[in-house]
């Protein structure tokens, strides 16, 4: 199932690009990449998954080969949720499963102090980028790769090159990044919610949920004294308490990009989950 086809789905601001694997007759699975990544994030994993399904990996707006938002329109978490709905509608999917890596798998939020300060900085950042006349930086292929690897320590050279293959455009003197400069910082695009609202969302959820966590990922739940584990522990605890048998948590050895670096470690878990006899729609 290494063969794929490219898709270009029309949206009001341009198009959403995507890649599709497998027969369209199979149950659909939509794959959502992580922050600043693109659909190539799943190139190594999908060939290891069951051939009984039809997989589509989309590029979020401003990422990969998808159109950038028009000037003046910020990138918010809710926008990407809407993009998922637009893609499903364009493909005429009424029920489908989701596979998400990192940001792509985000189903809730967290509390944040000084929310007004955060929102103000978000607006200021967007206006500064739009006012800048600075042209896109052109660098050599090797310099682009080394810069990418420096900022993404969890990605190996081969996987980094795979992401840049779809994340850059060749120009006369080198490469330029495809992504919109307004999405440089993830905190400018998240919609934070309270714990109470997160619980409300989970109680409305009807799907089954599989959460795969890498031991050396960004949130290492084994380090109980690490203050950064609290949001992850809260989400896992809430999902267990509310969804009960509809929630499955699996920890695998690896880092944040384990699905690219060692896809075989997660493929069998995902296959088992997708092929479950349960009739409840799956969400990863």
């Amino acid at each position: 199932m290494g063969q794929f086809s490219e898709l270009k789905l029309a949206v009001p601001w341009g198009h959403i690009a995507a890649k599709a694997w497998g027969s369209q007759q199979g149950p659909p699975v939509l794959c959502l990449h992580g922050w600043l990544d693109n659909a190539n994030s799943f190139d190594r994993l999908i060939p290891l998954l069951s051939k009984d399904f039809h997989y589509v990996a989309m590029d979020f707006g401003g990422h990969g080969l998808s159109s950038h938002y028009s000037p003046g329109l910020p990138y918010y978490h809710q926008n990407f949720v809407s993009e998922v709905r637009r893609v499903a509608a364009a493909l005429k999917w009424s029920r489908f499963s989701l596979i998400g890596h990192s940001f792509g798998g985000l189903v809730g939020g967290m509390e944040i102090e000084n929310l007004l300060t955060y929102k103000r900085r978000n607006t200021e950042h967007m206006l500064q980028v739009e006012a800048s006349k600075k042209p896109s930086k052109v660098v050599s292929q090797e310099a682009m790769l080394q810069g990418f690897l420096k900022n993404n320590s969890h990605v190996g050279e081969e996987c980094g090159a795979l992401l840049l293959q779809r994340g850059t455009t060749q120009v006369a003197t080198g490469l330029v990044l495809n992504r919109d400069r307004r999405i440089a910082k993830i905190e400018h695009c998240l919609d934070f919610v309270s714990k109470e609202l997160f619980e409300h969302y989970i109680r409305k959820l009807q799907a089954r949920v599989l959460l795969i966590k890498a031991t050396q990922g960004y949130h290492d739940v084994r380090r109980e004294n690490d203050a950064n584990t609290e949001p992850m522990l809260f989400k896992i605890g809430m999902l267990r308490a509310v969804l009960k048998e509809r929630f499955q948590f699996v920890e695998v050895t690896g880092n944040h990009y384990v699905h690219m670096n060692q896809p075989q470690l997660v493929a069998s878990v995902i296959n088992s989950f997708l092929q479950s006899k349960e009739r409840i729609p799956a969400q990863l």
Side-chain angles (χ1 to χ4, degrees), residues 167-222:
T168 60
T169 294
Q170 180 77 49
V171 296
T173 56
L175 298 178
V176 294
L177 286 170
N178 290 343
R179 64 184 183 229
D180 195 321
R181 285 190 294 163
R182 288 175 293 172
I183 62 173
K185 295 184 178 180
I186 190 172
E187 60 267 27
H188 290 148
C189 303
L190 286 174
D191 291 327
F192 295 96
V193 300
S194 67
K195 291 181 177 179
E196 292 75 17
L197 189 54
F198 175 77
E199 180 179 356
H200 174 75
Y201 290 158
I202 296 303
R203 292 192 182 281
K204 294 291 185 180
L205 190 60
Q206 298 181 19
R208 294 180 297 118
V209 175
L210 165 64
L211 176 59
I212 301 177
K213 179 198 168 292
T215 53
Q216 283 79 49
Y218 285 160
H219 297 278
D220 189 352
V221 295
R222 292 187 183 280

Side-chain angles (χ1 to χ4, degrees), residues 80-282:
F80 299 123
V81 175
S82 298
E83 288 183 16
V84 170
R85 297 296 297 271
R86 290 180 187 275
V87 168
L91 298 174
K92 296 181 171 55
W93 291 353
S94 58
R95 292 167 68 87
F96 57 95
S97 298
L98 289 172
I99 296 179
H101 169 241
S102 193
F103 178 79
L106 195 62
V107 293
M110 64 188 78
E111 291 182 305
I112 184 171
E113 297 179 359
N114 303 319
L115 188 58
L116 292 179
T117 299
Y118 150 77
K119 288 293 185 183
R120 184 177 67 249
R121 288 176 179 172
N122 180 7
T123 302
E124 291 173 349
H125 170 74
M126 181 188 70
L127 294 176
Q128 288 172 0
V129 171
E130 290 180 356
S132 173
K133 302 299 182 182
K134 184 178 179 181
S136 298
K137 187 176 181 180
V138 181
V139 300
S140 68
Q141 182 174 353
E142 181 61 24
M144 179 71 77
L145 177 58
Q146 293 308 315
F148 182 87
L149 296 177
K150 181 179 179 180
N151 293 324
N152 297 272
S153 60
H154 286 198
V155 182
E157 185 169 332
E158 190 173 347
C159 292
L162 184 59
L163 289 171
L164 288 177
Q165 181 186 75
R166 192 176 183 88
T168 60
T169 294
Q170 180 77 49
V171 296
T173 56
L175 298 178
V176 294
L177 286 170
N178 290 343
R179 64 184 183 229
D180 195 321
R181 285 190 294 163
R182 288 175 293 172
I183 62 173
K185 295 184 178 180
I186 190 172
E187 60 267 27
H188 290 148
C189 303
L190 286 174
D191 291 327
F192 295 96
V193 300
S194 67
K195 291 181 177 179
E196 292 75 17
L197 189 54
F198 175 77
E199 180 179 356
H200 174 75
Y201 290 158
I202 296 303
R203 292 192 182 281
K204 294 291 185 180
L205 190 60
Q206 298 181 19
R208 294 180 297 118
V209 175
L210 165 64
L211 176 59
I212 301 177
K213 179 198 168 292
T215 53
Q216 283 79 49
Y218 285 160
H219 297 278
D220 189 352
V221 295
R222 292 187 183 280
R223 295 165 56 191
E224 297 180 354
N225 295 324
D226 186 344
N228 291 329
T229 65
E230 195 276 335
M232 174 64 80
L233 293 172
F234 168 77
K235 291 173 187 175
I236 293 173
M238 184 58 64
L239 286 163
R240 278 192 177 129
V242 175
L243 300 183
K244 297 182 172 59
E245 69 277 0
R246 289 191 287 128
F247 176 64
Q248 181 181 355
F249 175 73
V250 177
E251 191 171 41
V252 298
T253 302
N255 63 24
H256 191 59
Y257 279 84
V258 65
H259 70 300
M260 294 191 75
N261 297 326
Q262 299 166 291
Q264 69 279 4
L265 297 182
V266 297
S268 60
V269 179
I270 295 174
N271 280 329
S272 177
F273 184 78
L274 287 175
Q275 294 175 320
S276 170
K277 299 300 182 181
E278 296 286 344
R279 294 186 178 275
I280 306 171

Side-chain angles (χ1 to χ4, degrees), residues 11-82:
V11 290
W13 62 92
H15 69 270
I16 290 177
K19 304 173 70 171
W21 290 260
S23 171
Q24 295 184 26
Q25 307 307 312
V29 180
L30 184 61
C31 304
L32 310 176
H33 62 76
W35 193 249
L36 302 184
D37 292 340
N38 53 62
N40 278 13
S41 177
F42 297 98
D43 276 16
R44 290 184 154 200
L45 174 62
I46 289 177
L48 301 181
L49 299 183
S50 170
K51 295 176 175 57
D52 296 333
F53 294 83
H54 177 55
Y55 303 92
V56 173
M58 61 180 283
D59 292 329
F60 284 129
H63 295 72
L65 303 181
S66 287
S67 298
H68 295 185
Y69 285 7
S70 301
L73 294 179
Y75 290 86
Y76 284 138
H77 179 199
Q78 186 59 44
N79 298 138
F80 299 123
V81 175
S82 298

